Amino acid sequence: MNVKINNPENLPEEIVQKAIKMMEQEEGRVVQELSIRSTGQPDEYGIIPIFEPVSFQRIRRITGYLVGDLSRFNNGKRAEERDRVTHGI
């Protein structure tokens, strides 16, 4: 794990690593960068993580169903989707 850490408050490495592990478990993604700053309150810090990017799949609503792709559609339904007219505003 090669995380870029901006820790001007010099929090102990053990605490920083526990925070990273907790965020990765909650988010289900890997932390790539972490910034730590003081909030002005004793023993309170702001932690800003930057996670690895997530790929995005387009979701369409076709005939009342939410689908990510057209792979399960038969040829007729694919042709219907291909022949649709796009309306501009």
Side-chain angles (χ1 to χ4, degrees), residues 4 23 25 27 30 37-38 46 51 65 69 75 82-83:
K4 179 180 175 187
M23 287 183 279
Q25 286 177 343
E27 192 69 22
V30 176
R37 63 174 175 74
S38 174
F51 293 97
Y65 297 96
D69 61 22
N75 291 338
R82 185 177 53 246
D83 295 340

Side-chain angles (χ1 to χ4, degrees), residues 37-68:
R37 63 174 175 74
S38 174
T39 63
Q41 301 294 321
D43 296 325
E44 185 176 288
Y45 299 93
I47 299 176
I48 302 169
I50 296 177
F51 293 97
E52 67 183 350
V54 176
S55 60
F56 179 79
Q57 182 181 20
R58 179 179 175 182
I59 302 293
R60 304 174 190 204
R61 183 175 180 272
I62 299 176
T63 64
Y65 297 96
L66 295 175
V67 295

Side-chain angles (χ1 to χ4, degrees), residues 26-41:
E26 287 182 2
E27 192 69 22
R29 295 189 287 161
V30 176
V31 173
Q32 288 185 328
E33 189 174 334
L34 189 72
S35 294
I36 302 169
R37 63 174 175 74
S38 174
T39 63
Q41 301 294 321

